[in-house]
Amino acid sequence: MTDSASHPASPASTQKAPPSRLREFWSSFKENRGAVIGLIVFLGFLFVAILAPLLAPYAPDTQYRDAQLVPPFWQEGGSTRFLLGTDAVGRDLLSRLIYGARFSFFIGLLVVTLATSLGVLLGVIAGFAPRWLDTLIMRLMDIVLSFPSLLLALVLVAILGPSLLNAMIAIAIVLQPHFVRLTRAAVLTERSKDYVIAARVAGGRPIRIMFRTVLPNCLAPIIVQAALSFSTAVLDTAALGFLGMGAQPPTPEWGTMLAEAREFILSAWWVVTFPGLCILVTVLAINLMGDGLRDALDPKLKRS
Amino acid sequence: MALLEIRNLSVDFATHSGQFRAVDGVDVTVDEGDLLAIVGESGSGKSVSMLALMGLLPWTATVTADKLEFDGQDLRTISARARRRIVGKDISMIFQEPMSSLNPAFTIGWQIKESLRKHTDMTRSQRQDRAVELMRQVGIPAPEKRLQAYPHQLSGGMSQRAMIAMALANKPKLLIADEPTTALDVTIQAQILELLTGLQQETGMALVLITHDMGVVAETVQRVQVQYAGQRVELQEVGGLFQNPHHPYTAALLAALPERATEKRLPTIPGVVPGQFDRPAGCLFSPRCSFADARCIAQRPSPAGPELGRALCHYPLIDGQPTGKESAA
Amino acid sequence: MSEAILTAKNLKRHYEVKGGFLKPDATVRALDGASFTLTPGKTLAVVGESGSGKSTLARVVTMIEPPTEGDLIIGGRKIGPEGASGDRDLRAMVQIVFQDPYGSLNPRQTIGQTLMEPLLLNRPEVSAAERETRARDMLAMVGLRPEHFERYPHMFSGGQRQRVAVARALMLEPKILVLDEPVSALDLSIQSQVLNLLMDLQERMDLAYLFISHDLSVVRHIADEVLVLYLGQPVEIGPKQAIFEAPRHPYTKALLSATPVADPALRKERIKLEGELPSPMNKPQGCSFNPRCWRRQDVCTKVEPELQGQGHCFACHNPIPLDETEAA
């Protein structure tokens, strides 16, 4: 007879083990071609942002008075000295865009971190809190959500005073209700599950159950939301910059660059087109990546 | 001629980690007025094979069969349109969760009448009469009133009765009941089983009962088909199956029933049903079988004759003893 | 007989349901007066249909929820309406195993972390190395392999997960284990493995089991005593033998009769119960079983019956006579 009959309790140990979570995630993520392209573009921008001083041919705010509004090199009058041309005061557009990537990533990262941590904290509390506190938090969030987000951000900046940091704080405040709602909903479904009750029976204190037991199981939708909020943050900062309420000139922030170049739309197309393209491509890449993340992480959409 | 004939049906699912064979060469034959149970544990492919017949599988599934015939029509080559004419009229199905199988946005009456609207040319008042008649037939009190009710206003047992009424609307020739009582309490289960067998006798339709509960099988059906890991391992009359199972899996399963236990320690089947990653090369039951030898591990068995319950085994059991071992040795 | 480790007297748990607009508040009497004792090494099975209060009983005994009324005495200490919050020793005495092995393990914790968590929380004096040793020993005790320690729950089958759930419940060396339908989500071939494990562990650790189930054939195999609940009220309680062979309450008899027997030679005429379980918000007058009972008398619709009898008790005005029960 066989040995397998005497130790049959775990046939899996001799055969191929099922794939690990990470591998399963990656295999379903890479199936989505748009998401992979988004990821590559995103990583490309990240690379540029980190290595900006090495990649940029010039400093972003050096003005070359002899070369104002020089077109890109392939156009008549352009030269390879300034690959993408210069702006009205003779700054190299390419260098400004490369440095601008830094700002965009910094903004995205900070805003998302701020909005996520605050939103998740409030969401977990709301999910576990007694009814009155839950109601209080959620109605507050409803109030924030009932304003057009950009308008609210504008008002906040107007109160705090226009600067890049204030713009970021304003955008974070506008974004965090989404995290609160999402987290609360996830917490409510998780907290009724048996493993949470088991942790309580095992003697877990409320704080531990909230953050060690339940929260890690709510992370998938939050990660997706964070990725998608990254693009909203970049876009909103650009919008605030464009309206003159965000980063102040001469900061090479893409939205501010757009605003500065507004008057040259007809005469020098490149000063508006390239910053706009950068915003478009970054936001599109992040959204594609976020969609891929959702498909791979959200079990409700998962094919089984 | 058989009402339903399935030969060598296989269903494969595409998953992230490769193909998964959920149904592996299953045969099913159902005669008119037949009362057949398909028994198996989770992962035995008992539901999937019937869903394949109905054309209700997701797009990740690939269905192959040598023969897939219902009432003389080949379901493999039939158009989607023609299939829809059969499914819901001549074949209907009821499911495990009555609460989620009814659409919560419409009344019970609307849902029963919808299938009449699709498959018959009855007038409005004829449909109403038929709906009331159906509700009465499945034992729902005050049918006129209940037709106006929404699913959430009915209990589990009542919802299942409504589901049955809906399935019976077009006088099907074949009713497939997929674990119809698993979600219900025993006293309600008894009512529903009684209703189903009563209706089967009354209307002469064939009934296929998919279940995992040996007790339900013993009390309800005539013929039993046992499935394991996507294969049919045995097919027998219900009396013979419980008295003299020919496949070691059936025998082990029956022995594991607490009510058949003779001592405190229950006989067990070691191990688990093979999954996607640990499918044995030979007989799929060989890693768990107490009679398995080298031949079982290496070679796939072929089904025995009808006198041995078509047992998918190299050494079919007779009275609990394996046969044919000497000749192989 | 050894001393009772848990005594419940007239245990009640009610829920207030807030009425909406124009709707008065209502009380759901989920558990309405259960009395029983648990003894080390013995199993009390609780049977009943959904809505009978089985799971509420489990939650009260596990001290997840305090009783609304009645006495719950565990290991000589009384648990009142204020519950047992903060009393670690008391909490550690009663542990629970849930029905659904897929929902009862934290998907983000390895099996090892899951097993060590109760020790980490309740026995801070135990060193990390000792914790791991104990968890590994427990893993072996429930029949799992050492390499399973590092794995995550999604890599396990239902039966293996249920073994892990049992192991976790035993980490604090409880005296009482509440088993809430521990095998009903498992396949038949796995069910017997888990039942055997539970019986072995009971013998080895002298555990008292509160075994909640709707499957009477499992109950018949594993129980010493049986408590039958109907709409939150005990209708019959007694030794297994008595309940199965000579049920006195009509509901118990109907329940037994409705349970399918896995023997086609024994097909029998069932006692058909009319109708379904009424809502616990609006129980019938008198005996709560009376609208479905075939032995109903006038008194049943007016007066609520009391539990009567010694050892084998039942709450019925018109119990099935002893000589008639033999036929069942």
Side-chain angles (χ1 to χ4, degrees):
Chain A
M1 287 288 259
T2 62
D3 199 19
S4 70
S6 51
H7 294 292
S10 128
S13 59
T14 48
Q15 265 98 1
K16 209 165 47 163
S20 74
R21 258 160 192 268
L22 199 67
R23 264 193 42 205
E24 201 182 341
F25 162 74
W26 178 240
S27 79
S28 73
F29 184 81
K30 75 176 183 211
E31 222 172 73
N32 187 336
R33 201 179 298 162
V36 175
I37 293 172
L39 181 69
I40 291 169
V41 174
F42 182 80
L43 289 177
F45 269 96
L46 188 67
F47 178 76
V48 168
I50 291 170
L51 299 179
L54 298 176
L55 292 174
Y58 306 100
D61 42 9
T62 316
Q63 303 181 0
Y64 296 89
R65 292 300 163 117
D66 55 329
Q68 288 171 357
L69 288 178
V70 173
F73 71 94
W74 63 87
Q75 259 203 337
E76 203 173 311
S79 77
T80 47
R81 188 176 155 214
F82 303 108
L83 283 178
L84 294 181
T86 58
D87 67 3
V89 289
R91 291 173 296 197
D92 179 41
L93 209 55
L94 180 63
S95 308
R96 285 179 71 73
L97 289 175
I98 289 174
Y99 274 94
R102 287 198 136 178
F103 279 93
S104 290
F105 273 95
F106 173 64
I107 291 160
L109 215 62
L110 198 83
V111 168
V112 167
T113 314
L114 216 63
T116 312
S117 42
L118 194 66
V120 166
L121 185 72
L122 280 176
V124 172
I125 292 173
F128 277 93
R131 208 159 151 173
W132 65 268
L133 185 57
D134 179 27
T135 314
L136 185 75
I137 293 175
M138 292 322 287
R139 290 302 84 80
L140 264 173
M141 293 307 127
D142 285 348
I143 292 170
V144 175
L145 280 175
S146 61
F147 286 100
S149 61
L150 197 62
L151 199 65
L152 184 62
L154 262 177
V155 172
L156 286 170
V157 173
I159 297 168
L160 297 169
S163 79
L164 185 58
L165 186 70
N166 288 346
M168 290 193 295
I169 293 174
I171 293 165
I173 290 175
V174 172
L175 282 179
Q176 57 75 34
H178 298 284
F179 288 95
V180 177
R181 288 185 140 190
L182 201 68
T183 310
R184 177 175 172 270
V187 164
L188 287 182
T189 36
E190 286 301 316
R191 68 175 272 199
S192 60
K193 290 197 178 154
D194 285 344
Y195 72 88
V196 181
I197 300 175
R200 270 171 64 193
V201 175
R205 305 242 175 251
I207 297 286
R208 185 187 164 88
I209 294 201
M210 283 158 76
F211 293 99
R212 287 291 296 275
T213 311
V214 171
L215 187 57
N217 287 297
C218 301
L219 281 184
I222 296 172
I223 291 172
V224 174
Q225 179 69 25
L228 294 174
S229 296
F230 199 99
S231 68
T232 317
V234 171
L235 208 57
D236 281 2
T237 326
L240 282 181
F242 183 77
L243 296 171
M245 299 299 242
Q248 297 301 309
T251 316
E253 194 269 321
W254 295 339
T256 319
M257 284 166 72
L258 268 182
E260 281 175 58
R262 208 166 19 190
E263 49 191 297
F264 307 109
I265 287 182
L266 294 176
S267 57
W269 59 270
W270 58 93
V271 283
V272 274
T273 308
F274 290 121
L277 265 181
C278 282
I279 297 173
L280 177 81
V281 172
T282 317
V283 169
L284 189 66
I286 295 170
N287 280 346
L288 283 174
M289 197 180 69
D291 279 345
L293 269 182
R294 177 173 49 213
D295 291 352
L297 283 178
D298 198 334
K300 265 171 245 152
L301 293 168
K302 208 180 238 177
R303 272 179 277 126
S304 53
Chain B
M1 195 191 67
L3 179 67
L4 172 71
E5 203 167 0
I6 299 176
R7 290 276 157 276
N8 198 18
L9 172 76
S10 295
V11 180
D12 292 284
F13 283 97
T15 68
H16 286 310
S17 32
Q19 289 278 313
F20 172 62
R21 177 151 284 203
V23 178
D24 191 1
V26 161
D27 296 348
V28 184
T29 311
V30 181
D31 293 320
E32 274 175 45
D34 211 346
L35 186 46
L36 172 77
I38 302 183
V39 207
E41 300 177 284
S42 49
S44 62
K46 54 192 193 300
S47 296
V48 176
S49 51
M50 288 298 118
L51 288 173
L53 164 72
M54 305 278 286
L56 293 177
L57 290 173
W59 61 273
T60 47
T62 322
V63 180
T64 55
D66 291 349
K67 196 172 186 186
L68 197 60
E69 248 182 47
F70 176 78
D71 209 12
Q73 277 178 298
D74 190 344
L75 294 177
R76 288 174 305 165
T77 53
I78 203 167
S79 70
R81 227 185 127 118
R83 186 196 281 266
R84 275 201 299 275
R85 256 199 305 269
I86 296 176
V87 170
K89 184 171 189 299
D90 292 335
I91 313 178
S92 42
M93 191 159 180
I94 54 176
F95 300 93
Q96 175 173 349
E97 285 289 341
M99 297 296 195
S100 53
S101 345
L102 288 166
N103 186 337
F106 296 98
T107 62
I108 302 295
W110 192 91
Q111 296 185 53
I112 293 180
K113 286 180 222 163
E114 187 190 22
S115 124
L116 292 170
R117 207 156 30 232
K118 285 266 149 62
H119 294 287
T120 66
D121 41 16
M122 288 185 182
T123 63
R124 208 185 160 82
S125 64
Q126 281 174 320
R127 286 201 296 263
Q128 169 72 16
D129 293 345
R130 174 75 179 137
V132 172
E133 182 193 330
L134 283 165
M135 295 283 274
R136 196 161 286 141
Q137 203 175 5
V138 297
I140 296 181
E144 287 90 348
K145 218 178 100 205
R146 293 294 172 97
L147 280 177
Q148 312 290 324
Y150 284 90
H152 72 267
Q153 294 168 314
L154 301 184
S155 66
M158 279 299 154
S159 302
Q160 196 58 292
R161 282 175 194 266
M163 274 303 295
I164 295 172
M166 211 184 303
L168 291 178
N170 292 303
K171 303 199 169 109
K173 293 177 183 152
L174 172 63
L175 176 64
I176 301 167
D178 187 355
E179 305 263 6
T181 57
T182 307
L184 305 174
D185 285 318
V186 272
T187 55
I188 311 298
Q189 163 171 293
Q191 292 172 1
I192 296 290
L193 288 177
E194 196 132 339
L195 173 69
L196 279 176
T197 47
L199 288 169
Q200 189 261 337
Q201 272 160 18
E202 199 179 305
T203 60
M205 66 179 174
L207 177 64
V208 173
L209 184 70
I210 301 174
T211 182
H212 68 276
D213 188 327
M214 282 296 184
V216 169
V217 172
E219 297 217 339
T220 317
V221 301
Q222 294 155 358
R223 287 193 309 138
V224 188
Q225 166 156 345
V226 184
Q227 291 199 186
Y228 179 77
Q231 296 183 329
R232 180 179 82 182
V233 297
E234 185 158 1
L235 175 68
Q236 264 215 71
E237 294 289 316
V238 67
L241 186 93
F242 280 85
Q243 236 167 41
N244 191 2
H246 295 309
H247 194 283
Y249 172 66
T250 319
L253 206 56
L254 290 171
L257 286 171
E259 57 190 282
R260 292 192 156 212
T262 45
E263 50 187 309
K264 195 79 183 166
R265 252 197 101 76
L266 294 165
T268 62
I269 309 178
V272 292
V273 179
Q276 185 179 358
F277 303 103
D278 51 3
R279 241 173 141 72
C283 170
L284 292 185
F285 188 57
S286 61
R288 306 175 72 187
C289 183
S290 52
F291 303 110
D293 63 9
R295 187 174 163 214
C296 300
I297 290 161
Q299 262 179 44
R300 290 210 159 200
S302 48
E307 73 287 350
L308 285 171
R310 302 199 179 274
L312 194 64
C313 181
H314 289 299
Y315 313 112
L317 306 182
I318 292 177
D319 296 324
Q321 290 308 311
T323 55
K325 248 191 174 161
E326 306 75 34
S327 59
Chain C
M1 208 167 104
S2 53
E3 193 109 333
I5 183 81
L6 180 144
T7 309
K9 268 187 216 139
N10 201 24
L11 213 54
K12 292 186 182 180
R13 173 75 200 167
H14 297 172
Y15 298 96
E16 299 297 328
V17 179
K18 273 259 189 295
F21 185 63
L22 289 180
K23 251 199 217 155
D25 289 4
T27 307
V28 177
R29 301 164 162 242
L31 183 66
D32 207 12
S35 305
F36 55 88
T37 56
L38 296 180
T39 335
K42 298 280 178 199
T43 302
L44 171 71
V46 180
V47 299
E49 298 176 277
S50 47
S52 64
K54 293 176 297 185
S55 293
T56 308
L57 179 64
R59 295 173 75 92
V60 172
V61 169
T62 325
M63 292 169 279
I64 298 169
E65 288 174 9
T68 314
E69 226 180 274
D71 291 345
L72 182 63
I73 299 157
I74 299 176
R77 298 166 67 179
K78 203 177 149 190
I79 289 100
E82 71 284 354
S85 52
D87 194 335
R88 289 192 162 169
D89 293 335
L90 198 55
R91 270 189 184 277
M93 277 179 73
V94 190
Q95 291 293 313
I96 185 165
V97 176
F98 295 99
Q99 168 176 11
D100 175 17
Y102 292 86
S104 64
L105 299 179
N106 188 340
R108 303 266 164 184
Q109 279 183 333
T110 63
I111 301 310
Q113 287 169 331
T114 299
L115 293 186
M116 289 187 290
E117 190 176 38
L119 284 180
L120 184 73
L121 294 172
N122 290 283
R123 308 264 190 276
E125 71 278 7
V126 175
S127 71
E130 168 73 12
R131 261 204 308 272
E132 185 170 336
T133 318
R134 286 205 208 169
R136 285 188 184 276
D137 289 350
M138 187 56 76
L139 203 64
M141 186 130 106
V142 297
L144 292 171
R145 289 157 163 256
E147 67 260 28
H148 291 150
F149 194 80
E150 316 288 344
R151 296 203 184 154
Y152 285 91
H154 75 277
M155 297 169 158
F156 289 86
S157 66
Q160 286 174 319
R161 288 180 204 218
Q162 207 60 316
R163 286 175 191 266
V164 175
V166 171
R168 171 182 57 193
L170 294 178
M171 283 307 289
L172 291 175
E173 293 160 359
K175 301 274 189 288
I176 300 161
L177 206 53
V178 175
L179 302 155
D180 190 356
E181 307 257 12
V183 295
S184 53
L186 303 179
D187 276 322
L188 187 53
S189 71
I190 306 300
Q191 177 179 311
S192 52
Q193 295 174 11
V194 174
L195 285 176
N196 281 346
L197 171 71
L198 289 173
M199 290 187 291
D200 284 352
L201 291 172
Q202 178 171 47
E203 207 166 290
R204 214 181 310 174
M205 304 174 78
D206 205 26
L207 290 162
Y209 282 169
L210 184 72
F211 190 96
I212 293 169
S213 178
H214 68 274
D215 187 337
L216 289 176
S217 57
V218 171
V219 166
R220 184 171 207 155
H221 190 78
I222 201 165
D224 296 298
E225 270 198 299
V226 181
L227 168 66
V228 185
L229 284 180
Y230 186 79
L231 276 183
Q233 286 173 320
V235 296
E236 190 159 0
I237 181 167
K240 170 176 76 178
Q241 212 75 10
I243 297 281
F244 278 91
E245 270 149 39
R248 305 296 304 277
H249 197 284
Y251 177 66
T252 313
K253 178 146 182 173
L255 209 56
L256 285 170
S257 154
T259 306
V261 180
D263 188 346
L266 279 182
R267 281 191 195 186
K268 56 174 191 233
E269 206 40 45
R270 297 193 188 98
I271 297 170
K272 263 175 275 172
L273 278 189
E274 296 293 318
E276 301 179 12
L277 215 62
S279 153
M281 290 227 272
N282 120 55
K283 285 189 194 174
Q285 277 252 308
C287 170
S288 50
F289 184 59
N290 87 70
R292 301 175 75 188
C293 186
W294 71 98
R295 298 176 61 86
R296 178 179 57 221
Q297 296 171 324
D298 269 355
V299 60
C300 302
T301 59
K302 290 178 190 114
V303 185
E304 208 174 298
E306 298 281 325
L307 264 186
Q308 48 178 303
Q310 286 257 310
H312 179 189
C313 312
F314 43 92
C316 184
H317 293 300
N318 186 15
I320 297 162
L322 267 177
D323 49 341
E324 214 178 282
T325 58
E326 304 302 325

